[in-house]
C-alpha cells in the first residue's frame, strides 16, 4: 500500500533531561534505553548537552558514538546546535564570529553522522545564505527551528522562506516545533504551580488570559509578544504571587504558542524535521494541550517523509511522573493518528534510513 506520507517515529534525548541530569543514565545508556523501549528508530540529540567537549570532538569519540548508534539499531535524524550570540561577557558576537561559531558546530554534527543540524531563529536570511557553502562542504542540511513564540506567518520566518526559495537549495529548511501550535496550557504545568502555592484564582486567571491570546492569534510583532509576556508577570503580582510572575510568563508565552495547525502549510515544502513537542498524556491517551492528531494528519496529507522527534517538555515542572512512560504514550498517540489519517508511522530502522535518504536527497549514515 502506498501512503501519501509516512512520518518516521523518533525521539529527542532532550525528553529525558531529568534522568540524564540525575545520572540515572549516561549518553550510551539513554541511547540503548530508547532502542530497547522501541521509541526509535529516529534519534535526535542536542550537541552541547550530550557530547562532552562539543563541538571539539576527536576521531576516537566519533568512532565510539557511531558504534553505539549502529549497535542500537537507531537512525540519526538531527543534531541540535546553538546560535548563542551572547556567549561573551563584554559584547554580542559579530557576524563573522557567529558564522565561525556555527561552522564548528555544523562540522561536528556532520562528523558524528547526523544528516541535519537544527539551528536557531536568531540566524538571519543573510546568515543562512553565508552558511549554505558550509552545509554544502559537509553534506548536511541546516534547518531553523520555528518555536513559540514565533510562528510560520512571522515576518522573520517569511523572510527566511523567501530567501530559501531564491537560493533553491535542498540543504536549507525549517524544523517545525509543535509548541508553536498549542491549544491550551498544560494541566501538568498548572498542577506544578498549584504545588508551589499558586491560588486557584491565579491559575484560572492565567488560563483565561492565555485563551484570550489564543483567540487573538500569534503576536504580530516582537513588541506585542513583550506585552503579552509582561501581562502574565502583572497578573501574578495582582493575585499576590509576584515570585511566580517571570516563570509563568516564560512558560505561558515561550512554550505555548497560539498559531493554528493550518499555518504550517505556508512553509511545509521547507520543513525538513519536526519536533513533536508535547507536555503530557491524559488518562484517555490524548495530549490535552497539543492537537497531535491534527498535526500528524497534516504531515500525512502533505506527504511528509521525514522524522518526528517526540519532544517531552513537561519535564521542566513534572517531577512526579516517569518521562519514558509519557513519551511511550505520546508515540502511541502519533501512531494512532497516522492510522486514522490512512498511513502509518515508520518504525523499522532499515525503512527509516532508506526513506531519509530520499527525504534529504543523499545517503544517511547507519551510525
Amino acid at each position: 500500500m502506498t501512503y501519501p506520507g509516512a512520518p518516521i517515529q523518533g525521539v529527542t534525548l532532550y525528553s529525558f533531561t531529568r534522568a540524564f541530569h540525575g545520572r540515572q543514565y549516561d549518553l550510551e545508556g539513554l541511547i540503548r534505553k530508547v532502542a530497547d523501549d522501541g521509541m526509535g528508530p529516529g534519534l535526535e540529540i542536542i550537541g552541547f548537552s550530550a557530547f562532552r567537549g562539543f563541538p571539539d570532538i576527536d576521531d576516537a569519540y566519533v568512532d565510539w558514538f557511531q558504534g553505539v548508534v549502529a549497535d542500537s539499531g537507531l537512525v540519526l535524524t538531527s543534531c541540535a546546535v546553538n546560535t548563542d550570540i551572547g556567549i561573551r561577557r563584554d559584547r554580542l558576537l559579530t557576524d563573522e564570529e557567529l558564522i565561525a561559531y556555527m561552522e564548528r558546530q555544523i562540522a561536528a554534527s556532520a562528523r558524528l553522522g547526523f544528516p541535519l543540524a537544527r539551528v536557531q531563529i536568531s540566524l538571519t536570511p543573510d546568515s543562512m545564505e553565508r552558511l549554505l557553502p558550509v552545509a554544502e562542504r559537509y553534506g548536511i542540511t541546516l534547518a531553523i527551528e520555528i518555536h513559540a513564540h514565533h510562528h510560520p506567518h512571522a515576518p522573520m520566518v517569511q523572510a527566511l522562506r523567501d530567501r530559501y526559495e531564491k537560493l533553491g537549495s535542498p540543504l536549507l529548511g525549517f524544523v517545525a516545533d509543535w509548541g508553536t501550535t498549542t491549544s491550551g496550557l498544560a494541566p501538568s504545568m498548572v498542577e506544578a504551580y498549584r504545588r508551589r502555592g499558586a491560588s486557584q484564582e491565579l491559575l484560572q486567571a492565567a488560563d483565561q488570559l492565555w485563551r484570550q491570546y489564543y483567540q487573538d492569534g500569534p503576536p504580530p510583532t516582537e513588541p506585542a509578544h513583550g506585552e503579552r509576556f509582561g501581562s502574565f508577570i502583572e497578573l501574578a503580582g495582582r493575585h499576590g504571587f509576584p515570585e511566580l510572575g517571570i516563570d509563568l510568563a516564560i512558560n505561558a508565552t515561550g512554550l505555548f504558542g497560539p498559531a493554528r495547525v493550518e499555518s504550517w502549510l505556508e512553509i511545509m515544502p521547507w520543513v525538513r524535521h519536526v519536533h513533536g513537542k508535547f507536555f503530557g498524556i491524559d488518562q484517555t491517551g490524548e495530549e490535552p494541550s497539543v492537537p497531535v492528531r491534527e498535526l500528524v494528519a497534516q504531515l500525512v496529507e502533505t506527504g511528509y517523509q521525514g522524522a518526528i522527534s517526540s519532544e517531552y517538555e513537561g519535564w521542566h515542572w513534572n517531577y512526579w511522573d516517569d518521562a519514558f512512560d509519557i513519551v511511550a504514550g505520546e508515540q502511541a498517540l502519533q501512531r494512532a493518528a497516522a492510522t486514522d489519517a490512512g498511513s502509518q508511522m515508520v518504525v523499522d530502522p532499515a525503512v527509516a534510513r532508506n526513506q531519509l535518504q530520499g527525504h534529504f536527497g543523499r545517503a544517511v549514515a547507519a551510525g
Side-chain angles (χ1 to χ4, degrees), residues 317-330:
W317 52 74
N318 183 342
Y319 52 83
W320 55 88
D321 290 322
D322 183 84
F324 297 99
D325 289 342
I326 296 172
V327 170
E330 194 265 352

Side-chain angles (χ1 to χ4, degrees), residues 213-237:
Y213 288 144
Y214 180 80
Q215 292 300 318
D216 295 343
T221 64
E222 287 300 315
H225 168 69
E227 291 172 4
R228 293 185 180 189
F229 188 93
S231 68
F232 280 97
I233 296 176
E234 188 276 332
L235 185 74

Side-chain angles (χ1 to χ4, degrees), residues 73-264:
L74 298 177
V75 182
L76 298 177
T77 58
S78 169
C79 184
V81 304
N82 291 2
T83 310
D84 301 315
I85 61 174
I87 58 175
R88 291 181 59 115
R89 291 180 179 272
D90 56 337
R91 59 173 175 79
L92 299 179
L93 294 184
T94 66
D95 289 343
E96 293 297 329
E97 289 170 334
L98 177 60
I99 296 299
Y101 177 61
M102 296 307 302
E103 179 168 1
R104 290 174 58 216
Q105 296 181 69
I106 293 164
S109 301
R111 287 182 63 207
L112 287 163
F114 291 94
L116 178 144
R118 179 230 64 177
V119 296
Q120 294 173 305
I121 197 71
S122 50
L123 287 172
T124 65
D126 287 346
S127 295
M128 290 299 285
E129 183 167 352
R130 291 187 64 186
L131 286 170
L132 178 55
V134 177
E136 292 170 341
R137 187 180 315 134
Y138 293 104
I140 189 170
T141 293
L142 306 183
I144 283 188
E145 180 180 10
I146 303 176
H147 184 292
H149 65 283
H150 298 107
H151 52 91
H153 290 143
M156 64 178 62
V157 175
Q158 296 288 296
L160 285 161
R161 181 206 60 184
D162 292 346
R163 187 66 61 90
Y164 292 168
E165 193 168 55
K166 177 183 176 182
L167 295 171
S169 174
L171 296 180
L172 300 178
F174 294 110
V175 173
D177 187 287
W178 286 352
T180 299
T181 45
T182 60
S183 54
L185 298 178
S188 63
M189 188 184 79
V190 174
E191 171 61 20
Y193 283 119
R194 182 177 288 111
R195 293 185 182 208
R196 293 171 63 181
S199 66
Q200 185 63 22
E201 291 74 19
L202 169 59
L203 297 176
Q204 289 178 343
D207 181 70
Q208 291 172 0
L209 181 60
W210 193 91
R211 292 187 182 282
Q212 179 59 56
Y213 288 144
Y214 180 80
Q215 292 300 318
D216 295 343
T221 64
E222 287 300 315
H225 168 69
E227 291 172 4
R228 293 185 180 189
F229 188 93
S231 68
F232 280 97
I233 296 176
E234 188 276 332
L235 185 74
R238 178 154 39 91
H239 283 270
F241 297 91
E243 71 281 4
L244 298 179
I246 293 177
D247 187 72
L248 176 62
I250 290 172
N251 287 329
T253 67
L255 292 181
F256 296 87
R260 303 306 193 264
V261 171
E262 59 269 20
S263 67
W264 288 118

Side-chain angles (χ1 to χ4, degrees), residues 44-67:
E44 178 174 13
I45 297 178
I46 298 178
F48 279 110
S49 69
F51 302 120
R52 188 178 298 276
F54 186 86
D56 299 321
I57 50 177
D58 59 29
D59 291 341
Y61 188 87
V62 170
D63 290 344
W64 169 82
F65 172 72
Q66 292 185 346

